[in-house]
Amino acid sequence: KQEVTQIPAALSVPEGENLVLNCSFTDSAIYNLQWFRQDPGKGLTSLLLIQSSQREQTSGRLNASLDKSSGRSTLYIAASQPGDSATYLCAPGNKLVFGAGTILRVKS
Amino acid sequence: EAGVAQSPRYKIIEKRQSVAFWCNPISGHATLYWYQQILGQGPKLLIQFQNNGVVDDSQLPKDRFSAERLKGVDSTLKIQPAKLEDSAVYLCASSPTGSNQPQHFGDGTRLSIL
């Protein structure tokens, strides 16, 4: 049974900082891993999807890496902005099993 | 492209009553998912459809929850009778067929049980 842990549970940073969100999972037999953001009262928005054959994926200021063998993924956010404030969730595998998320607050 | 549509946005009922949620996926998306998200937790998959067939319903409490996807498009999720622990946001998502396709989520239905 896949178990997903996200660290830290919450993070508060000043605007402009670079930051790293961590995700670990127990079952490395996955096709892909997705990172999502969730704004209050909203559904999830897919940010990045990393296929198992890839090691990283980039979109704008976001970069996600995947190390299947160690069961880890990181989401790197460069030059954080107040608009990045949200909950970030990772989900390994097609049968998405979510972590509890990291609540990010970027202060202006 | 239009996103995943869900209704209602909010629902308040008393325990032991019944409730139904509706989802219209993105046009052309063969796969449809229902998730339950309890406050402070990540979403938990309840059921996955491929067209109008069930792929995975292993975490659906079948004594009280049911779901259908007639004609492989819209879907409804029903709870009967509702319990206090069913208070949550119910999210619908859809994706194209294929193992590396991202899921697209609706804004969910927030259910409160009194």
Side-chain angles (χ1 to χ4, degrees), chain A:
Chain A
K1 178 186 172 185
Q2 181 75 275
E3 293 183 7
V4 181
T5 303
Q6 290 191 242
I7 295 173
L11 184 62
S12 182
V13 300
E15 182 177 6
E17 271 204 9
N18 302 324
L19 53 99
V20 175
L21 308 182
N22 297 290
C23 171
S24 61
F25 48 95
T26 55
D27 184 356
S28 61
I30 59 172
Y31 290 113
N32 57 46
L33 181 143
Q34 291 186 62
W35 281 94
F36 295 84
R37 72 174 275 168
Q38 185 172 31
D39 294 284
K42 296 290 188 179
L44 282 66
T45 300
S46 181
L47 298 173
L48 291 164
L49 184 151
I50 313 174
Q51 298 182 27
S52 59
S53 58
Q54 299 173 317
R55 291 195 64 84
E56 64 179 66
Q57 191 71 254
T58 298
S59 175
R61 294 182 294 107
L62 305 179
N63 175 275
S65 66
L66 173 63
D67 184 344
K68 270 186 55 174
S69 61
S70 67
R72 295 177 189 273
S73 178
T74 60
L75 179 67
Y76 175 83
I77 302 177
S80 58
Q81 302 172 358
D84 295 330
S85 297
T87 298
Y88 290 79
L89 299 127
C90 75
N94 275 38
K95 180 179 175 179
L96 296 187
V97 177
F98 288 86
T102 294
I103 302 171
L104 172 65
R105 181 184 170 212
V106 181
K107 298 171 289 186
S108 57

Side-chain angles (χ1 to χ4, degrees), chain B:
Chain B
E1 108 189 315
V4 176
Q6 290 189 248
S7 66
R9 287 282 283 131
Y10 306 92
K11 190 73 177 180
I12 302 174
I13 63 172
E14 295 184 349
K15 60 183 179 183
R16 290 187 290 273
Q17 286 188 325
S18 63
V19 63
F21 314 124
W22 174 81
C23 173
N24 179 236
I26 292 174
S27 178
H29 282 193
T31 310
L32 185 146
Y33 312 80
W34 283 102
Y35 292 87
Q36 179 192 59
Q37 186 174 23
I38 294 172
L39 187 64
Q41 300 180 16
K44 181 183 83 171
L45 179 68
L46 293 175
I47 189 166
Q48 176 184 346
F49 291 94
Q50 180 73 20
N51 296 309
N52 60 351
V54 175
V55 173
D56 184 350
D57 63 357
S58 57
Q59 298 192 96
L60 186 73
K62 298 180 186 63
D63 57 334
R64 298 183 301 105
F65 286 65
S66 65
E68 60 182 10
R69 190 182 184 197
L70 299 176
K71 301 181 181 178
V73 182
D74 293 4
S75 177
T76 56
L77 177 69
K78 297 179 181 178
I79 308 175
Q80 181 179 14
K83 292 185 175 181
L84 293 175
E85 60 260 36
D86 298 332
S87 293
V89 175
Y90 291 84
L91 296 164
C92 179
S94 70
S95 68
T97 302
S99 59
N100 282 311
Q101 299 292 335
Q103 295 186 17
H104 300 261
F105 283 76
D107 286 341
T109 296
R110 182 176 299 277
L111 175 65
S112 297
I113 312 293
L114 303 178

